[in-house]
Every structure is written in structure tokens, then in C-alpha cells.
Amino acid sequence: MSQIKIYALQTTIEQFRNQLSHAIHQALVESLNYPIEKKFQRFIALTEEDFIYPNDRSQHYLIIEISMFEGRSNEAKKRLIQSIFTYIQQQCGISTQDIEITIFETPKCNWGIRGQHADELQLNYQVNV
């Protein structure tokens, strides 16, 4: 399970929402063997007044937060991060200088999904990759 939050200026989200969605999901599927049908994304559009960032970032600055079950190897998480950088740059033309990614991992017992604790769910994909 992975939940994705993408924070950016409203203009950036309006311009790139579909490409960002595809790029991030493509990275998850390829890097973590994530099921293609499992897409959980939230775009948080911010005004210029509500999104303060350093001067060395452009108006396309993105913050991507990924919440997921623990269990992926460090190598798999590094592949995921690098793939997100690569696909966003290729598909949106947004510089890697403008992309920050944080992965938050939690035990399955901390998740409730479809009326069950996640540690009791039968998943159709492997978490330990």
C-alpha cells in the first residue's frame, strides 16, 4: 500500500497533474512491483502565499510524500526515488532541482483498509522487494 501526496503551486498542478500522476505511478509499478491498478494520489494545490520555498527552486517546485507499508529494501526505495526524478523530468520537463521526495514507512498494523487492519489483509502483491 502506498499513499502519495503531491504539494505544488496551483499553476504547476493544473499544468502537469496528469503527467505527474503517470510519472509517479510508473515509478511505483516498476521500482516496487506495485500493482498497476493501485493508484492512490492526492494533489495539494497551494497559492504563492501558502507555499514558501528557497530562491534556488523554480515555480515548479514539488514536494512528494509517500506513505507506505514498511518492508521495502533500501535498494528498492532508492530505485523508486531515482525513477520518480527521472520520469518527472522526462515527462514534465521539471528539473530534479525542483523535486523533493520523502518516504514515510509504517507497520501494517498502523493502517486500516476496507474495514480491516492491514496486517490481516490478503494482498495481491509483495511488499518485501
Side-chain angles (χ1 to χ4, degrees):
M1 180 71 166
S2 296
Q3 295 277 343
I4 315 296
K5 294 180 193 173
I6 302 100
Y7 298 88
L9 288 174
Q10 182 168 348
T11 54
T12 298
I13 290 176
E14 288 171 357
Q15 182 177 357
F16 296 110
R17 178 181 289 121
N18 291 335
Q19 298 99 313
L20 287 168
S21 175
H22 181 265
I24 294 166
H25 194 62
Q26 182 180 2
L28 276 168
V29 168
E30 292 177 9
S31 300
L32 302 182
N33 299 321
Y34 199 71
I36 197 160
E37 70 277 4
K38 301 280 187 189
K39 188 186 255 189
F40 301 97
Q41 300 173 344
R42 286 164 287 182
F43 286 86
I44 296 104
L46 300 164
T47 65
E48 290 184 26
E49 295 81 28
D50 291 327
F51 198 39
I52 300 168
Y53 50 86
N55 292 335
D56 64 346
R57 306 304 196 280
S58 81
Q59 75 278 6
H60 297 309
Y61 175 62
L62 305 168
I63 298 173
I64 300 168
E65 295 180 349
I66 303 168
S67 297
M68 64 184 185
F69 297 154
E70 64 185 2
R72 276 74 177 206
S73 68
N74 288 338
E75 293 78 21
K77 290 181 281 188
K78 286 182 179 184
R79 276 194 314 271
L80 173 62
I81 289 169
Q82 189 57 54
S83 294
I84 291 172
F85 285 143
T86 299
Y87 291 141
I88 288 175
Q89 187 170 40
Q90 288 174 352
Q91 297 175 31
C92 303
I94 296 174
S95 168
T96 58
Q97 172 73 15
D98 284 327
I99 305 167
E100 294 189 15
I101 303 164
T102 306
I103 296 174
F104 299 94
E105 293 182 288
T106 57
K108 289 182 191 177
C109 66
N110 289 354
W111 291 66
I113 302 169
R114 299 185 314 264
Q116 297 180 14
H117 292 101
D119 60 353
E120 299 169 359
L121 284 175
Q122 294 289 80
L123 299 175
N124 62 352
Y125 60 95
Q126 183 63 259
V127 172
N128 297 323
V129 295

Coordinates of all heavy atoms in Angstrom, one line a residue, residues 15-85:
Q15 N -1.0 22.5 -14.7 CA -0.3 22.3 -15.9 C 0.2 20.9 -16.1 O 0.2 20.3 -17.2 CB 0.9 23.2 -16.0 CG 1.8 23.1 -17.2 CD 2.9 24.1 -17.3 OE1 3.1 24.9 -16.4 NE2 3.7 24.0 -18.3
F16 N 0.5 20.2 -15.0 CA 1.2 18.9 -15.0 C 0.5 17.8 -14.3 O 1.1 16.7 -14.2 CB 2.6 19.0 -14.5 CG 3.5 19.9 -15.2 CD1 3.9 21.1 -14.7 CD2 4.0 19.6 -16.5 CE1 4.8 22.0 -15.4 CE2 4.9 20.4 -17.2 CZ 5.3 21.6 -16.6
R17 N -0.7 17.9 -13.8 CA -1.3 16.9 -13.0 C -1.3 15.5 -13.6 O -0.8 14.5 -13.0 CB -2.8 17.3 -12.7 CG -3.5 16.2 -11.8 CD -4.9 16.5 -11.5 NE -4.9 17.6 -10.5 CZ -5.5 18.8 -10.8 NH1 -6.1 19.0 -11.9 NH2 -5.5 19.7 -9.8
N18 N -1.7 15.4 -14.9 CA -1.8 14.1 -15.5 C -0.4 13.5 -15.7 O -0.2 12.3 -15.5 CB -2.6 14.1 -16.8 CG -4.1 14.4 -16.6 OD1 -4.6 14.1 -15.6 ND2 -4.7 15.0 -17.6
Q19 N 0.5 14.3 -16.1 CA 1.9 13.8 -16.4 C 2.5 13.4 -15.0 O 3.2 12.3 -15.0 CB 2.8 14.8 -17.1 CG 2.3 15.2 -18.5 CD 1.5 16.5 -18.4 OE1 0.6 16.7 -17.6 NE2 1.8 17.4 -19.4
L20 N 2.4 14.2 -14.0 CA 2.9 13.8 -12.7 C 2.3 12.6 -12.2 O 3.0 11.7 -11.6 CB 2.7 15.0 -11.7 CG 3.5 16.2 -11.9 CD1 2.9 17.4 -11.0 CD2 5.0 16.0 -11.5
S21 N 1.0 12.4 -12.3 CA 0.3 11.2 -11.8 C 0.9 10.0 -12.5 O 1.2 9.0 -11.9 CB -1.2 11.3 -12.1 OG -1.8 10.1 -11.8
H22 N 1.0 10.1 -13.8 CA 1.6 8.9 -14.6 C 3.0 8.7 -14.2 O 3.4 7.5 -14.0 CB 1.4 9.2 -16.1 CG 1.9 8.1 -16.9 ND1 3.2 8.0 -17.4 CD2 1.3 6.9 -17.3 CE1 3.4 6.9 -18.1 NE2 2.3 6.2 -18.0
A23 N 3.9 9.7 -14.1 CA 5.3 9.5 -13.8 C 5.5 8.9 -12.5 O 6.3 7.9 -12.3 CB 6.0 10.9 -13.9
I24 N 4.8 9.3 -11.5 CA 4.9 8.8 -10.1 C 4.4 7.4 -10.0 O 5.1 6.5 -9.5 CB 4.2 9.7 -9.1 CG1 4.9 11.1 -9.0 CG2 4.2 9.0 -7.7 CD1 4.1 12.1 -8.3
H25 N 3.3 7.1 -10.7 CA 2.7 5.7 -10.6 C 3.6 4.8 -11.4 O 3.8 3.6 -11.0 CB 1.3 5.7 -11.1 CG 0.6 4.5 -10.8 ND1 0.3 4.0 -9.5 CD2 0.1 3.5 -11.6 CE1 -0.3 2.9 -9.5 NE2 -0.5 2.5 -10.8
Q26 N 4.1 5.2 -12.5 CA 5.0 4.4 -13.3 C 6.3 4.0 -12.5 O 6.7 2.8 -12.5 CB 5.5 5.1 -14.6 CG 6.4 4.4 -15.5 CD 6.8 5.2 -16.7 OE1 6.4 6.3 -16.9 NE2 7.5 4.5 -17.6
A27 N 6.8 4.9 -11.7 CA 8.0 4.7 -10.9 C 7.6 3.6 -9.8 O 8.4 2.7 -9.5 CB 8.5 5.9 -10.2
L28 N 6.4 3.7 -9.2 CA 6.0 2.8 -8.2 C 5.9 1.4 -8.7 O 6.3 0.4 -8.2 CB 4.6 3.2 -7.6 CG 4.6 4.2 -6.4 CD1 3.2 4.7 -6.2 CD2 5.2 3.6 -5.2
V29 N 5.2 1.3 -9.9 CA 5.0 0.0 -10.5 C 6.3 -0.7 -10.9 O 6.5 -1.8 -10.6 CB 4.1 0.2 -11.8 CG1 4.0 -1.1 -12.6 CG2 2.6 0.6 -11.3
E30 N 7.2 0.1 -11.5 CA 8.4 -0.5 -12.0 C 9.4 -0.8 -10.8 O 10.1 -1.8 -10.8 CB 9.1 0.4 -13.0 CG 8.3 0.4 -14.3 CD 8.8 1.3 -15.4 OE1 9.9 1.9 -15.2 OE2 8.1 1.6 -16.4
S31 N 9.5 0.1 -9.9 CA 10.5 0.0 -8.8 C 10.2 -0.9 -7.7 O 11.0 -1.5 -7.1 CB 10.8 1.4 -8.2 OG 11.3 2.3 -9.2
L32 N 8.9 -1.0 -7.4 CA 8.4 -1.8 -6.2 C 7.5 -2.9 -6.7 O 6.9 -3.6 -5.8 CB 7.6 -0.9 -5.2 CG 8.4 0.3 -4.7 CD1 7.5 1.1 -3.7 CD2 9.7 -0.1 -4.0
N33 N 7.4 -3.2 -7.9 CA 6.5 -4.3 -8.4 C 5.1 -4.0 -7.9 O 4.4 -4.9 -7.5 CB 7.0 -5.7 -8.0 CG 8.3 -6.0 -8.6 OD1 8.6 -5.6 -9.7 ND2 9.2 -6.6 -7.8
Y34 N 4.7 -2.8 -7.9 CA 3.4 -2.3 -7.3 C 2.3 -2.6 -8.4 O 2.5 -2.4 -9.6 CB 3.5 -0.8 -7.1 CG 2.5 -0.3 -6.1 CD1 2.5 -0.6 -4.8 CD2 1.5 0.6 -6.6 CE1 1.6 0.0 -3.9 CE2 0.6 1.1 -5.7 CZ 0.6 0.8 -4.4 OH -0.3 1.3 -3.5
P35 N 1.1 -3.1 -7.9 CA 0.0 -3.3 -8.9 C -0.4 -2.1 -9.6 O -0.6 -1.0 -9.0 CB -1.1 -3.9 -8.0 CG -0.4 -4.3 -6.7 CD 0.8 -3.4 -6.6
I36 N -0.5 -2.2 -10.9 CA -0.8 -1.0 -11.7 C -2.2 -0.4 -11.4 O -2.4 0.8 -11.5 CB -0.8 -1.4 -13.2 CG1 -0.7 -0.1 -14.1 CG2 -1.9 -2.3 -13.7 CD1 -0.1 -0.3 -15.4
E37 N -3.1 -1.3 -10.9 CA -4.5 -0.7 -10.6 C -4.6 0.0 -9.2 O -5.6 0.6 -8.9 CB -5.5 -1.9 -10.6 CG -5.4 -2.9 -9.5 CD -4.3 -4.0 -9.7 OE1 -3.6 -3.9 -10.7 OE2 -4.2 -4.9 -8.9
K38 N -3.5 -0.1 -8.4 CA -3.5 0.5 -7.1 C -2.9 1.9 -7.2 O -1.7 2.1 -7.0 CB -2.6 -0.3 -6.1 CG -3.1 -1.7 -6.0 CD -4.3 -1.8 -5.0 CE -4.6 -3.2 -4.8 NZ -5.9 -3.4 -4.1
K39 N -3.7 2.9 -7.5 CA -3.3 4.3 -7.6 C -4.0 5.1 -6.6 O -5.2 5.3 -6.6 CB -3.5 4.8 -9.0 CG -2.9 6.2 -9.3 CD -3.4 6.7 -10.6 CE -2.3 6.6 -11.6 NZ -2.6 7.3 -12.9
F40 N -3.2 5.6 -5.6 CA -3.7 6.5 -4.5 C -2.9 7.7 -4.5 O -1.8 7.8 -3.9 CB -3.6 5.7 -3.2 CG -4.4 4.4 -3.1 CD1 -3.7 3.2 -3.3 CD2 -5.7 4.4 -2.9 CE1 -4.4 2.0 -3.3 CE2 -6.4 3.2 -2.8 CZ -5.7 2.0 -3.0
Q41 N -3.4 8.8 -5.0 CA -2.7 10.1 -5.1 C -3.6 11.2 -4.7 O -4.8 11.2 -5.0 CB -2.2 10.3 -6.5 CG -1.3 9.3 -7.1 CD -1.0 9.5 -8.5 OE1 -1.6 10.2 -9.3 NE2 0.1 8.8 -9.0
R42 N -3.0 12.2 -4.0 CA -3.7 13.4 -3.7 C -2.8 14.6 -4.1 O -1.6 14.7 -3.7 CB -3.9 13.5 -2.2 CG -5.1 12.6 -1.8 CD -5.1 12.4 -0.3 NE -3.9 11.5 0.0 CZ -3.6 11.1 1.2 NH1 -4.3 11.4 2.2 NH2 -2.5 10.3 1.4
F43 N -3.4 15.5 -4.9 CA -2.7 16.7 -5.3 C -3.1 17.9 -4.4 O -4.3 18.1 -4.3 CB -3.0 17.0 -6.7 CG -2.2 16.1 -7.7 CD1 -2.8 14.9 -8.0 CD2 -1.0 16.4 -8.2 CE1 -2.1 14.0 -8.9 CE2 -0.3 15.6 -9.1 CZ -0.9 14.4 -9.4
I44 N -2.2 18.5 -3.7 CA -2.5 19.6 -2.9 C -2.0 20.9 -3.5 O -0.8 21.1 -3.6 CB -1.9 19.4 -1.5 CG1 -2.5 18.2 -0.8 CG2 -2.1 20.6 -0.6 CD1 -1.7 17.0 -0.7
A45 N -2.9 21.7 -4.1 CA -2.6 22.9 -4.8 C -2.5 24.0 -3.8 O -3.4 24.2 -3.0 CB -3.6 23.1 -5.9
L46 N -1.4 24.8 -3.9 CA -1.2 25.9 -3.0 C -1.1 27.2 -3.7 O -0.6 27.2 -4.8 CB 0.1 25.6 -2.2 CG 0.1 24.3 -1.3 CD1 1.5 23.9 -0.9 CD2 -0.8 24.5 -0.1
T47 N -1.4 28.2 -3.0 CA -1.2 29.6 -3.6 C 0.2 30.0 -3.3 O 0.9 29.4 -2.4 CB -2.2 30.6 -2.9 OG1 -1.8 30.7 -1.5 CG2 -3.7 30.2 -3.0
E48 N 0.7 31.0 -4.0 CA 2.0 31.5 -3.7 C 2.2 32.0 -2.3 O 3.3 31.8 -1.8 CB 2.3 32.7 -4.7 CG 2.5 32.2 -6.1 CD 2.9 33.3 -7.1 OE1 3.5 34.3 -6.6 OE2 2.6 33.2 -8.3
E49 N 1.2 32.5 -1.7 CA 1.3 32.9 -0.3 C 1.4 31.8 0.7 O 2.0 31.9 1.8 CB 0.0 33.7 0.1 CG -0.1 35.0 -0.6 CD -0.8 34.9 -2.0 OE1 -1.5 33.9 -2.2 OE2 -0.5 35.7 -2.9
D50 N 0.9 30.6 0.3 CA 0.9 29.4 1.2 C 2.0 28.4 0.9 O 2.1 27.4 1.5 CB -0.4 28.7 1.1 CG -1.5 29.5 1.7 OD1 -1.3 30.3 2.7 OD2 -2.7 29.4 1.2
F51 N 2.9 28.7 -0.1 CA 4.0 27.8 -0.5 C 5.3 28.6 -0.5 O 5.6 29.2 -1.5 CB 3.6 27.1 -1.8 CG 4.4 25.9 -2.1 CD1 4.7 24.9 -1.1 CD2 4.8 25.6 -3.4 CE1 5.3 23.8 -1.4 CE2 5.5 24.4 -3.7 CZ 5.8 23.5 -2.7
I52 N 6.0 28.5 0.6 CA 7.2 29.2 0.7 C 8.4 28.3 0.5 O 8.4 27.2 1.2 CB 7.3 30.0 2.0 CG1 6.1 30.9 2.2 CG2 8.7 30.6 2.2 CD1 5.9 31.5 3.6
Y53 N 9.3 28.6 -0.4 CA 10.4 27.7 -0.7 C 11.6 28.5 -1.0 O 11.5 29.7 -1.3 CB 10.0 26.7 -1.8 CG 9.4 27.3 -3.0 CD1 10.2 27.8 -4.0 CD2 8.1 27.4 -3.2 CE1 9.7 28.4 -5.2 CE2 7.5 28.0 -4.3 CZ 8.3 28.5 -5.3 OH 7.8 29.1 -6.4
P54 N 12.8 27.9 -1.0 CA 14.1 28.6 -1.3 C 14.1 29.3 -2.7 O 13.5 28.8 -3.6 CB 15.1 27.6 -1.1 CG 14.5 26.5 -0.4 CD 13.1 26.5 -0.7
N55 N 14.9 30.3 -2.8 CA 15.1 31.0 -4.1 C 15.7 30.2 -5.2 O 15.6 30.5 -6.3 CB 15.9 32.3 -3.9 CG 15.2 33.3 -3.0 OD1 13.9 33.3 -3.0 ND2 15.9 34.2 -2.3
D56 N 16.4 29.1 -4.8 CA 17.1 28.3 -5.8 C 16.1 27.2 -6.4 O 16.6 26.3 -7.1 CB 18.4 27.7 -5.3 CG 18.2 26.7 -4.2 OD1 17.1 26.7 -3.6 OD2 19.1 26.0 -3.9
R57 N 14.8 27.3 -6.1 CA 13.8 26.5 -6.7 C 13.0 27.3 -7.7 O 12.8 28.5 -7.5 CB 12.9 25.8 -5.7 CG 13.6 25.1 -4.6 CD 14.5 24.0 -5.1 NE 14.8 23.0 -4.0 CZ 15.8 23.2 -3.1 NH1 16.5 24.3 -3.0 NH2 16.1 22.3 -2.2
S58 N 12.4 26.7 -8.7 CA 11.5 27.4 -9.6 C 10.1 27.4 -9.2 O 9.7 26.7 -8.2 CB 11.7 26.8 -11.0 OG 10.9 25.7 -11.2
Q59 N 9.2 28.0 -10.0 CA 7.8 27.9 -9.7 C 7.2 26.5 -9.9 O 6.0 26.3 -9.5 CB 7.0 28.9 -10.7 CG 6.9 28.5 -12.1 CD 8.1 28.7 -13.0 OE1 9.2 29.1 -12.5 NE2 7.9 28.4 -14.3
H60 N 8.0 25.6 -10.4 CA 7.5 24.2 -10.5 C 8.0 23.3 -9.3 O 7.9 22.1 -9.4 CB 8.0 23.6 -11.8 CG 7.4 24.3 -13.0 ND1 6.1 24.5 -13.2 CD2 8.0 24.8 -14.1 CE1 5.8 25.2 -14.3 NE2 7.0 25.3 -14.9
Y61 N 8.5 23.9 -8.3 CA 8.9 23.1 -7.1 C 7.8 22.2 -6.6 O 6.7 22.6 -6.5 CB 9.3 24.1 -6.0 CG 9.7 23.5 -4.7 CD1 10.8 22.6 -4.6 CD2 9.0 23.8 -3.5 CE1 11.2 22.1 -3.4 CE2 9.4 23.3 -2.3 CZ 10.5 22.4 -2.3 OH 10.8 21.9 -1.1
L62 N 8.2 20.9 -6.3 CA 7.3 19.9 -5.9 C 7.8 19.3 -4.6 O 9.0 19.0 -4.4 CB 7.2 18.7 -6.9 CG 6.8 19.0 -8.3 CD1 7.1 17.8 -9.2 CD2 5.4 19.4 -8.4
I63 N 6.9 19.0 -3.7 CA 7.2 18.1 -2.5 C 6.3 16.9 -2.7 O 5.1 17.0 -2.8 CB 6.9 18.8 -1.2 CG1 7.8 20.0 -1.1 CG2 7.1 17.8 0.0 CD1 7.4 20.9 0.2
I64 N 6.9 15.7 -2.7 CA 6.2 14.4 -2.9 C 6.4 13.6 -1.6 O 7.5 13.4 -1.2 CB 6.7 13.7 -4.1 CG1 6.5 14.5 -5.4 CG2 6.0 12.3 -4.2 CD1 7.2 14.0 -6.6
E65 N 5.3 13.3 -0.9 CA 5.4 12.5 0.3 C 4.7 11.1 0.0 O 3.6 11.1 -0.5 CB 4.6 13.1 1.4 CG 5.3 14.4 1.9 CD 4.5 15.1 3.0 OE1 3.4 14.7 3.4 OE2 5.1 16.1 3.6
I66 N 5.4 10.1 0.3 CA 5.0 8.7 0.1 C 4.8 8.0 1.4 O 5.8 7.8 2.1 CB 5.9 7.9 -0.8 CG1 6.2 8.7 -2.2 CG2 5.5 6.5 -1.1 CD1 7.3 8.2 -3.0
S67 N 3.6 7.6 1.7 CA 3.3 6.8 2.9 C 3.1 5.4 2.4 O 2.3 5.1 1.5 CB 2.1 7.3 3.7 OG 2.2 8.6 4.1
M68 N 3.9 4.4 3.0 CA 3.7 3.0 2.6 C 4.1 2.1 3.7 O 4.7 2.5 4.7 CB 4.6 2.8 1.4 CG 6.1 2.9 1.6 SD 6.9 2.7 0.0 CE 8.6 2.7 0.5
F69 N 3.6 0.8 3.5 CA 4.0 -0.2 4.5 C 5.5 -0.3 4.5 O 6.2 -0.2 3.5 CB 3.4 -1.6 4.0 CG 1.9 -1.7 3.9 CD1 1.4 -2.6 3.1 CD2 1.1 -0.9 4.7 CE1 0.0 -2.8 3.0 CE2 -0.3 -1.1 4.6 CZ -0.8 -2.0 3.8
E70 N 6.0 -0.6 5.7 CA 7.4 -0.9 5.8 C 7.7 -2.3 5.2 O 6.8 -3.1 5.1 CB 7.9 -0.9 7.3 CG 7.2 -1.9 8.2 CD 7.6 -1.8 9.6 OE1 8.4 -0.9 10.0 OE2 7.2 -2.6 10.4
G71 N 8.9 -2.5 4.8 CA 9.3 -3.8 4.3 C 10.1 -3.8 3.0 O 10.7 -4.7 2.6
R72 N 10.1 -2.6 2.3 CA 10.9 -2.5 1.1 C 12.4 -2.3 1.5 O 12.7 -1.7 2.4 CB 10.5 -1.3 0.3 CG 9.3 -1.5 -0.6 CD 8.0 -1.6 0.1 NE 6.9 -1.8 -0.8 CZ 5.7 -1.4 -0.5 NH1 5.4 -0.8 0.6 NH2 4.7 -1.6 -1.3
S73 N 13.2 -2.9 0.6 CA 14.7 -2.7 0.9 C 15.1 -1.3 0.6 O 14.5 -0.6 -0.1 CB 15.5 -3.7 0.0 OG 15.3 -3.3 -1.4
N74 N 16.3 -1.0 1.1 CA 16.9 0.4 0.8 C 17.1 0.5 -0.7 O 16.9 1.6 -1.2 CB 18.2 0.6 1.6 CG 17.9 0.8 3.1 OD1 16.8 1.2 3.5 ND2 18.9 0.6 3.9
E75 N 17.6 -0.6 -1.3 CA 17.8 -0.5 -2.8 C 16.5 -0.2 -3.5 O 16.5 0.6 -4.5 CB 18.4 -1.8 -3.2 CG 19.8 -2.1 -2.7 CD 19.9 -2.6 -1.3 OE1 18.8 -3.1 -0.8 OE2 20.9 -2.4 -0.6
A76 N 15.4 -0.9 -3.1 CA 14.1 -0.6 -3.8 C 13.7 0.8 -3.6 O 13.2 1.4 -4.5 CB 13.1 -1.6 -3.3
K77 N 13.9 1.4 -2.4 CA 13.4 2.7 -2.2 C 14.3 3.7 -2.9 O 13.8 4.7 -3.5 CB 13.5 3.0 -0.7 CG 12.4 2.3 0.1 CD 12.4 2.6 1.6 CE 13.5 1.8 2.2 NZ 13.4 1.9 3.7
K78 N 15.6 3.4 -3.1 CA 16.5 4.3 -3.9 C 16.1 4.2 -5.3 O 16.1 5.2 -6.0 CB 18.0 3.8 -3.7 CG 18.5 4.3 -2.4 CD 20.0 3.9 -2.3 CE 20.6 4.3 -0.9 NZ 22.0 4.0 -0.9
R79 N 15.7 3.0 -5.8 CA 15.3 2.9 -7.2 C 14.0 3.7 -7.4 O 13.8 4.4 -8.5 CB 15.0 1.4 -7.6 CG 16.1 0.6 -8.0 CD 15.7 -0.7 -8.6 NE 14.7 -1.4 -7.9 CZ 14.9 -2.3 -7.0 NH1 16.2 -2.6 -6.6 NH2 13.9 -3.0 -6.4
L80 N 13.1 3.7 -6.4 CA 11.9 4.4 -6.5 C 12.1 5.9 -6.6 O 11.6 6.6 -7.5 CB 10.9 4.1 -5.3 CG 9.7 5.0 -5.2 CD1 8.8 4.8 -6.4 CD2 9.0 4.6 -3.9
I81 N 12.9 6.4 -5.7 CA 13.2 7.8 -5.7 C 13.9 8.3 -7.0 O 13.5 9.3 -7.6 CB 14.1 8.2 -4.5 CG1 13.3 8.1 -3.2 CG2 14.7 9.6 -4.6 CD1 14.1 8.2 -1.9
Q82 N 14.9 7.5 -7.5 CA 15.5 7.9 -8.7 C 14.6 7.8 -9.9 O 14.6 8.7 -10.8 CB 16.8 7.0 -9.0 CG 17.6 7.4 -10.1 CD 18.1 8.9 -9.9 OE1 18.7 9.2 -8.9 NE2 17.8 9.7 -10.9
S83 N 13.7 6.8 -9.9 CA 12.7 6.7 -11.0 C 11.8 7.9 -11.0 O 11.4 8.4 -12.1 CB 12.0 5.4 -10.9 OG 12.8 4.3 -11.1
I84 N 11.3 8.3 -9.9 CA 10.4 9.5 -9.8 C 11.2 10.7 -10.4 O 10.6 11.4 -11.2 CB 9.9 9.7 -8.4 CG1 9.0 8.6 -7.9 CG2 9.2 11.1 -8.3 CD1 8.6 8.6 -6.5
F85 N 12.4 10.9 -9.9 CA 13.2 12.0 -10.5 C 13.2 12.0 -12.0 O 12.9 12.9 -12.7 CB 14.6 12.1 -10.0 CG 14.8 12.5 -8.6 CD1 15.8 11.9 -7.8 CD2 14.1 13.6 -8.0 CE1 16.0 12.3 -6.5 CE2 14.3 14.0 -6.7 CZ 15.2 13.4 -6.0

